[in-house]
Amino acid sequence: MTIKDQVCSVKHLHKAMLKCKKGVSWKDSVATFINHGLVRCYQLKHRHLDGTYRISAYIQFQVHEPKTRNIVSTRFVDRVFQRSLCDNYLTYEIQKDFIQDNFACQVGKGNDVARLALLHHLHTFWLEHGTNGYVLKADIHDYFGSTSHKVAKESTSYVRDEWARQELYRIIDSFTQGENPDVGMGLGSQVTQSVQLAVLDPLDKAIKFKAKIEHYVRYMDDFDLMHESKEYLKLCRKSIVKHLNEKGLSLNDDKTNIQKITQPLHFLGFSYQLHENGRVTMKVLQKKMSKNRRKLKKMVLVKKLSREVCDDALQAILAHIKKSNNRSQVTKMIHYYKKLWEERDMLEKKTLEQRVTDLENTVMAKTEFTDENTEKGKAVNRGLKEKGITKGDENAIVRKALMYLIRKHGDENDPELADFISYFNAVEEVKADVEQENHQHQ
């Protein structure tokens, strides 16, 4: 069986579809596809076999977390094919010779493994050199948007299967949304993730094997080099700049610097600091903590979501914080969350009491007791009697509400007089809520 037959088989396309639908099956376009999944996969297979397959127009939008990025999203039908292509051939073919310290978008690696690797390198560096060392922290400017199609193709030219290579090139050339149609690739494609890893693979190997930087970590376009000599890291930076310029890329000067190894090192949302005794503290960046606090405050005090929903959000935040080794951040976040609920309980108690006062004041301001000998007074008494309320146990608020409605509408038979009972119930419910809140606080 050829690679094409394997990738385009209904079995593998259907399996890819089931993976692609996770988390997005609520979308109309996805639901329409999966409702006729086998038929759509069969049609997709034959479109490839007879040469009529074309990549659909991309969807473009922006995301603002963790920073503003322009996303070029692949249509679901194309995502299914690309998933099958990657899972059944392309991912292994592209990534098989990557170095161990390249961590993005690879099975068995990812954010958590990259963070642990950096911790390991800091500990190991201290065992070898103590705190006498430096870190070159580097970041590439607009990595996906600046990579030319020519460079991307050259970086993946070692893909052996001709059909798979041509499909890969077709996907690369389909990204023509930028000012220069021959430059830039979308973030929303599984294929381009592997391609972008391959673009910097020669740089990884030059750093590890030619420059002999033992302590090196890279996550996509963010990478750190550790060495005992600052001057040597300056030479490495020059070599990196030269290598990137040859590919039409450049470093982000605002995020690239050489610093003492004991200074806080920011990597993947966490701050690492190596101390004189070899201990490495790892904590969530302060701006991320502030954002989490704002998120919880909005959920609890502004949107006033249920306790269960807010608790789930807190647990997700705590799970992320616990990836660090700084337990004080966990304690502070829990304390902050409790304070939010105390503030909400106090505001709700005040709101309930205010609602009672407002209701009573509204009736008092707009109604007066009339003489029971008048027609309106008699109507009030008849209304109370019909509701089972005797003169001795009548509620002043009910009587005032009745009087207000009669005075307002002028007709005891007006259907809107029935509103008084719902008004009375609303007042009683508010009072009951207040009494319950007071009892709970006691």
Side-chain angles (χ1 to χ4, degrees):
M1 179 182 289
T2 65
I3 297 299
K4 181 178 181 179
D5 293 334
Q6 184 176 349
V7 170
C8 297
S9 68
V10 174
K11 174 184 176 181
H12 288 140
L13 288 172
H14 189 264
K15 187 176 180 180
M17 180 197 75
L18 296 178
K19 291 181 179 179
C20 290
K21 77 170 186 176
K22 292 181 180 179
V24 293
S25 56
W26 54 270
K27 295 182 179 180
D28 290 341
S29 59
V30 177
T32 302
F33 190 99
I34 62 179
N35 282 342
H36 307 281
L38 286 173
V39 174
R40 293 296 179 89
C41 290
Y42 179 82
Q43 292 172 342
L44 183 57
K45 169 187 175 179
H46 282 277
R47 286 167 60 192
H48 278 282
L49 294 179
D50 61 23
T52 59
Y53 171 76
R54 298 291 182 273
I55 298 174
S56 306
Y58 290 101
I59 303 170
Q60 299 182 63
F61 59 93
Q62 283 189 332
V63 296
H64 303 281
E65 170 62 27
K67 62 182 180 181
T68 300
R69 300 178 189 270
N70 294 315
I71 305 297
V72 181
S73 177
T74 306
R75 300 279 182 177
F76 189 75
V77 60
D78 302 315
R79 203 179 310 146
V80 169
F81 166 67
Q82 292 182 23
R83 182 72 188 234
S84 181
L85 176 63
C86 289
D87 289 356
N88 294 291
Y89 179 71
L90 200 57
T91 296
Y92 173 76
E93 184 69 10
I94 290 178
Q95 299 179 2
K96 61 184 179 181
D97 292 328
F98 286 175
I99 65 169
Q100 182 64 33
D101 291 313
N102 176 359
F103 290 99
C105 306
Q106 298 171 69
V107 176
K109 295 186 179 181
N111 285 348
D112 292 342
V113 179
R115 295 185 186 111
L116 291 175
L118 183 58
L119 276 175
H120 170 75
H121 280 297
L122 287 169
H123 281 300
T124 307
F125 186 92
W126 180 82
L127 290 173
E128 296 171 352
H129 309 286
T131 56
N132 298 317
Y134 298 85
V135 179
L136 168 57
K137 179 169 182 58
D139 183 90
I140 299 175
H141 174 70
D142 191 18
Y143 183 39
F144 276 75
S146 300
T147 304
S148 70
H149 297 177
K150 179 182 178 182
V151 168
K153 292 177 184 178
E154 290 174 350
S155 300
T156 53
S157 60
Y158 56 86
V159 173
R160 291 169 294 179
D161 185 81
E162 178 65 23
W163 173 81
R165 187 167 63 253
Q166 293 306 316
E167 287 296 327
L168 171 61
Y169 290 172
R170 173 156 65 161
I171 293 169
I172 292 172
D173 286 333
S174 67
F175 292 99
T176 58
Q177 295 78 20
E179 295 181 2
N180 185 343
D182 295 324
V183 176
M185 289 186 291
L187 279 166
S189 168
Q190 184 180 359
V191 171
T192 58
Q193 300 287 334
S194 290
V195 170
Q196 291 296 90
L197 291 176
V199 168
L200 290 186
D201 183 55
L203 178 62
D204 290 338
K205 292 171 180 174
I207 291 172
K208 289 289 288 186
F209 307 127
K210 186 176 179 180
K212 299 189 183 302
I213 298 293
E214 182 179 353
H215 303 293
Y216 170 72
V217 178
R218 178 167 80 89
Y219 194 91
M220 195 55 77
D221 61 343
D222 188 1
F223 51 96
D224 300 315
L225 296 74
M226 304 174 200
H227 198 268
E228 60 272 21
S229 171
K230 185 176 183 179
E231 296 304 317
Y232 189 70
L233 288 179
K234 288 181 178 180
L235 293 175
C236 289
R237 177 172 180 168
K238 291 180 180 179
S239 298
I240 291 171
V241 169
K242 180 181 178 182
H243 180 92
L244 294 177
N245 289 342
E246 291 173 355
K247 294 179 179 292
L249 302 172
S250 62
L251 289 176
N252 187 332
D253 292 333
D254 294 335
K255 297 181 179 180
T256 301
N257 64 286
I258 298 176
Q259 62 185 55
K260 282 282 293 182
I261 200 165
T262 52
Q263 291 179 337
L265 177 62
H266 296 176
F267 185 69
L268 297 180
F270 287 77
S271 176
Y272 302 77
Q273 187 164 13
L274 176 64
H275 299 273
E276 293 291 338
N277 60 0
R279 178 171 173 261
V280 179
T281 54
M282 173 185 174
K283 60 183 181 180
V284 179
L285 293 177
Q286 189 57 44
K287 64 178 182 180
K288 181 66 174 178
M289 292 291 291
S290 298
K291 184 168 186 177
N292 287 333
R293 285 193 288 268
R294 290 195 299 270
K295 176 183 178 180
L296 289 175
K297 185 175 182 180
K298 184 176 181 179
M299 294 178 71
V300 175
L301 298 182
V302 180
K303 293 186 176 181
K304 295 186 177 180
L305 301 179
S306 68
R307 185 67 182 252
E308 182 180 2
V309 173
C310 295
D311 284 350
D312 289 343
L314 174 67
Q315 291 305 316
I317 291 171
L318 294 180
H320 180 71
I321 298 174
K322 288 176 181 178
K323 293 177 181 179
S324 70
N325 56 17
N326 189 314
R327 292 292 172 253
S328 66
Q329 287 187 316
V330 175
T331 304
K332 289 178 181 178
M333 186 61 70
I334 293 174
H335 180 72
Y336 176 77
Y337 183 68
K338 289 180 179 179
K339 286 290 185 182
L340 288 178
W341 277 102
E342 290 175 3
E343 184 178 352
R344 173 166 165 174
D345 291 342
M346 184 175 62
L347 289 173
E348 287 183 347
K349 178 182 177 182
K350 182 178 179 181
T351 302
L352 288 169
E353 293 174 341
Q354 190 62 44
R355 281 167 58 194
V356 174
T357 304
D358 290 345
L359 286 170
E360 293 180 340
N361 289 340
T362 299
V363 176
M364 289 288 289
K366 294 185 178 180
T367 64
E368 295 178 358
F369 286 103
T370 58
D371 188 346
E372 293 183 1
N373 295 322
T374 64
E375 291 298 322
K376 290 181 180 179
K378 292 178 181 178
V380 170
N381 288 327
R382 285 198 300 271
L384 293 172
K385 187 175 181 181
E386 289 174 1
K387 300 300 178 183
I389 302 174
T390 63
K391 185 175 181 180
D393 61 0
E394 64 190 67
N395 186 287
I397 294 180
V398 177
R399 187 179 184 87
K400 292 172 186 177
L402 266 174
M403 287 304 306
Y404 169 69
L405 290 169
I406 291 173
R407 288 165 65 91
K408 178 180 179 181
H409 299 291
D411 183 358
E412 63 177 280
N413 296 318
D414 193 308
E416 293 192 40
L417 282 177
D419 290 345
F420 94 92
I421 198 65
S422 61
Y423 183 91
F424 168 70
N425 289 337
V427 174
E428 292 303 306
E429 287 174 4
V430 171
K431 284 188 171 183
D433 289 341
V434 172
E435 291 176 359
Q436 183 179 1
E437 289 289 330
N438 290 336
H439 179 70
Q440 289 177 351
H441 284 286
Q442 291 174 358

